[in-house]
Amino acid sequence: MPAQRFEPHYRRIIADIRQRIASGEWPPGHKLPSTKALADLYEVGSQSTVRQAITILIETGELYGHQGLGVFVTDRSPTT
Amino acid sequence: MPAQRFEPHYRRIIADIRQRIASGEWPPGHKLPSTKALADLYEVGSQSTVRQAITILIETGELYGHQGLGVFVTDRSPTT
DNA sequence: GACAATTTGTCCGTATGTATT
DNA sequence: CAATACATACGGACAAATTGT
């Protein structure tokens, strides 16, 4: 039996962002902190790690990004 | 009118893998070529780029990876 | 228009760890 | 132990888009 794997940083960032969205702290349309600020917030040494989390959340449609502007929470109806 | 954006490499890799799965070329359970071989196949200079595509496809559940073994096409449950 | 600052977007290279054979 | 291959993290280099001066 393998021991419980630790969540990698990027997955924990994904989970945290999802929770902030779900809790309403970051409502639809909210602009997330900059990649640099998020790297600081999550205490990861590189923006690349944050980027990976954001790229996945953009891919799944939960966030969307605009170059030069920021990354935002997708505006979607809470149909679920 | 902005010109048509070029797809970044990782998105084209995602699209290609999805198409191979959809076409049946890579059926459920099929083992994908190694990351290194895929980097060669798609002519990207680094395995990191391939990895990003694969990570996203794993995150979306279309692929799954086993360390030391390979990356495989997800076996869809025929529940629907 | 030009320029700089900020921020997102992509790609590359490397290092290290983990799992299988 | 060694070879192979996946998994994660980091850091740097540019490009592209926006905003402000």
Side-chain angles (χ1 to χ4, degrees), chain B residues 34-35 51 65 67 70:
Chain B
S34 72
T35 306
R51 250 282 117 193
Q67 267 182 229

Side-chain angles (χ1 to χ4, degrees), chain B residues 26-77:
Chain B
W26 288 350
H30 177 82
K31 179 183 179 299
L32 270 65
S34 72
T35 306
K36 187 178 184 306
L38 289 174
D40 186 56
L41 171 65
Y42 294 116
E43 295 183 312
V44 289
S46 169
Q47 304 182 207
S48 305
T49 305
V50 172
R51 250 282 117 193
Q52 192 179 2
I54 289 177
T55 300
I56 288 172
L57 288 169
I58 288 174
E59 194 69 23
T60 60
E62 292 159 272
L63 301 177
Y64 65 93
H66 266 295
Q67 267 182 229
L69 271 178
V71 176
F72 304 84
V73 177
T74 298
D75 193 26
R76 294 154 140 240
S77 341

Side-chain angles (χ1 to χ4, degrees), chain A residues 1-5, chain B residues 66:
Chain A
M1 266 278 288
Q4 171 81 41
R5 289 199 226 7
Chain B
H66 266 295

Side-chain angles (χ1 to χ4, degrees), chain A residues 7-77:
Chain A
E7 298 267 28
H9 289 155
Y10 80 91
R11 275 195 207 275
R12 297 201 298 128
I13 294 173
I14 288 174
D16 183 84
I17 292 175
R18 281 183 171 147
Q19 184 165 346
R20 287 182 197 251
I21 293 173
S23 74
E25 182 181 347
W26 289 349
H30 177 82
K31 179 184 180 297
L32 269 65
S34 72
T35 304
K36 187 177 185 304
L38 288 174
D40 186 55
L41 171 65
Y42 293 118
E43 293 183 314
V44 290
S46 169
Q47 304 180 207
S48 306
T49 306
V50 172
R51 249 281 118 193
Q52 186 168 15
I54 289 177
T55 300
I56 289 171
L57 289 169
I58 288 175
E59 193 71 20
T60 61
E62 292 159 273
L63 300 177
Y64 65 93
H66 266 293
Q67 261 180 232
L69 272 177
V71 177
F72 304 84
V73 177
T74 298
D75 190 29
R76 58 162 52 175
S77 320

Side-chain angles (χ1 to χ4, degrees), chain B residues 16-28 62-63 73:
Chain B
D16 184 83
I17 292 175
R18 280 183 172 148
Q19 185 166 347
R20 286 179 198 254
I21 294 172
S23 74
E25 182 181 348
W26 288 350
E62 292 159 272
L63 301 177
V73 177

